[in-house]
Amino acid sequence: MRVLPIAALLVLAVGCSGAEDPPPAPRPPGGVPPAAASSAPAGPRALASVDVDAKVKARLEVVGLNRHGGEHVLAQIRVTNNDTVDFNPLDHLADDTDATPDMDRAGGIFLLDTAARRVVKPLQGADGCVCSRGESVLGSFLEPGEQKTFFAVLPAPSGGAKTATLLTPMSPPLVDVPISDEPPAGQDFPEPVGESVSYPLDAHSEDDESELRDDGRQVQVSLSADVLFATGSHALTAAAGTLIERTAGRISGGAVKVEGHADSTGTSAVNTPLSRRRAAAVAARLKKLLPDADFTTEGFGSSRPLYPNTTDEGRRRNRRVTITFTKADEPAPRPTSAAPAAPAAPGNGFTVAVDPLRPVGGGLSLLTYALTNTGQRQVSLQSLNDDTDRTWLKFRFWAAANAELVDGDRRIPPARYLLGTPAQGFSQLCLCTKTSGIATGADQFAPAQTKHFWALVQTPSGPVTAEIADLPAAPVPN
């Protein structure tokens, strides 16, 4: 399996409705059959569904998620055009992680492996993804009311999971889809032969001195080296004591790993031994507070950045000491409400209504919210895409990334996944509503128009509020 380390639908053919399903279409070159098409609601019942309205109006339904060839699954997603105009699903569901995306394939159907904290692509064959593909431009369009079904073959989620979460570029995640052990039905599907590709996922909470990552099994706390040490030194500062003591309060014992990291300035000959000495200094202080814990230390210099080293803030966050330990107790699940909270007070001509958070596993939750233009003219909420205070966290494509939860004194930004390597440079993609490319204009609102948006976030530890764009904070129902 090829995985890209951190540093980092669709065949469409015109069909016709009728009392009987059409016969399977001829298999095109490359061994991938075209998508099934219908203008009448029919076919398998949905295992999960979601409506979208940010750019086009559509319904996406998972009508199959089956084990396929042992260590793989085959996902089938039915797309229905609920808009008043034709649209081409390929434009919205192509794989945009590629520098030159294939707009004629269902490469944008991804799987979220929460146990491994990775975003998983369809298998990559010799001529592209093992997924549906289109045969003609005209045949790719859906008329209002028409629906088509597309598939992708993906590596199965880790640990023998019985359910999975599917991702597409045009919709919120399709959560908790049951995986069937029965073979997939509906078409003559290709064998699961191809290369596995996945990307590391990062979700965390933060304050000015630390970042915390919690996948439900292990906790990783990254402490700012600028607080712990003077420049070029491995002697702990006076301010370091409080920060280390606060971290020790989270650790119940057992194995504790302490790692030192640097930014890209300087040389490896300086950064690596300094990061090693800094890790040892923090471990020694923790050992006094936790004498029964078993500590190991290591220094990585600048080889494992969390963020691009292209801004002062990115470099500051990469200078860190990271402490990893087993999570002591799993918190009780957050209760969910039957309805969203009341909208926040209008701000800048908008109201915000936030739904209850939905856990998706691996310490992640799905945040969904609605924005309504209360004004009398069309406006663009540009601040939803861009946070001028977070210049160090620039995504490869514009997205509704300026949305975060506030958990006491900690902030929880949207999760991201990373492409590339430290040596080559890596880019970041937001696990949130896309507003660029074919989705350009998703941040534009007609008078009285409501649109729905989403983001994956680290699950908070208690009650939170949501800060969306430059609008007033909105309550998040428990």
Side-chain angles (χ1 to χ4, degrees), residues 6-7 209-211 213 220-229 243 258-264 271 274-276 278-279 282 298-307 309 314-323 416:
I6 185 170
E209 299 177 332
S210 66
E211 294 185 356
R213 292 166 172 82
Q220 184 183 87
V221 182
S222 293
L223 307 181
S224 171
D226 290 10
V227 176
L228 298 172
F229 309 99
L243 190 55
V258 184
E259 300 171 342
H261 301 270
D263 64 19
S264 61
N271 288 336
L274 178 60
S275 66
R276 189 180 301 122
R278 285 180 166 182
V282 171
E298 194 165 357
F300 292 99
S302 59
S303 65
R304 296 189 179 185
L306 286 174
Y307 304 99
N309 279 295
R315 288 187 290 271
R316 184 189 75 83
R317 289 171 177 264
N318 286 332
R319 297 189 297 268
R320 66 197 191 278
V321 173
T322 298
I323 303 156
R416 60 192 176 124

Side-chain angles (χ1 to χ4, degrees), residues 99-310:
T100 55
D102 186 344
M103 303 301 292
D104 201 34
R105 288 188 183 253
I109 302 177
F110 287 6
L111 184 145
L112 182 66
D113 190 338
T114 56
R117 280 226 168 179
R118 299 191 75 87
V119 173
V120 182
K121 294 179 64 166
L123 290 179
Q124 302 298 301
D127 64 343
C129 71
V130 184
C131 59
S132 299
R133 68 180 183 187
E135 293 182 310
S136 70
V137 174
L138 293 178
S140 297
F141 277 80
L142 285 178
E143 297 178 356
E146 187 179 20
Q147 58 184 211
K148 295 181 181 180
T149 299
F150 317 101
F151 76 88
V153 179
L154 305 116
S158 302
K162 301 298 184 183
T163 63
T165 293
L166 298 176
L167 306 172
T168 80
M170 72 180 296
S171 71
L174 293 142
V175 178
D176 289 337
V177 183
I179 301 174
S180 173
D181 291 329
E182 297 295 322
Q187 298 183 49
D188 182 15
F189 295 107
E191 293 299 315
V193 177
E195 185 178 20
S196 299
V197 180
S198 66
Y199 305 109
L201 180 155
D202 177 54
H204 68 275
S205 66
E206 64 185 35
D207 57 23
D208 293 336
E209 299 177 332
S210 66
E211 294 185 356
L212 186 148
R213 292 166 172 82
D214 179 352
D215 66 6
R217 296 168 297 150
Q218 285 193 319
V219 177
Q220 184 183 87
V221 182
S222 293
L223 307 181
S224 171
D226 290 10
V227 176
L228 298 172
F229 309 99
T231 301
S233 171
H234 64 275
L236 292 169
T237 64
T242 300
L243 190 55
I244 293 174
E245 288 175 8
R246 189 174 70 192
T247 304
R250 299 179 178 274
I251 304 172
S252 60
V256 180
K257 181 167 57 177
V258 184
E259 300 171 342
H261 301 270
D263 64 19
S264 61
T265 58
T267 65
S268 296
V270 173
N271 288 336
T272 300
L274 178 60
S275 66
R276 189 180 301 122
R277 289 192 291 267
R278 285 180 166 182
V282 171
R285 181 65 64 89
L286 283 170
K287 184 68 174 177
K288 294 179 180 179
L289 300 169
L290 301 164
D292 295 330
D294 182 16
F295 289 89
T296 58
T297 64
E298 194 165 357
F300 292 99
S302 59
S303 65
R304 296 189 179 185
L306 286 174
Y307 304 99
N309 279 295
T310 53

Side-chain angles (χ1 to χ4, degrees), residues 24-69:
R27 186 185 295 273
V32 178
S38 171
S39 60
R45 70 175 184 85
L47 304 173
S49 63
V50 64
D51 293 312
V52 297
D53 60 9
K55 182 62 179 178
V56 296
K57 293 182 179 180
R59 165 161 283 213
L60 277 71
E61 300 169 295
V62 182
V63 294
L65 185 60
N66 301 75
R67 299 207 178 271
H68 186 50

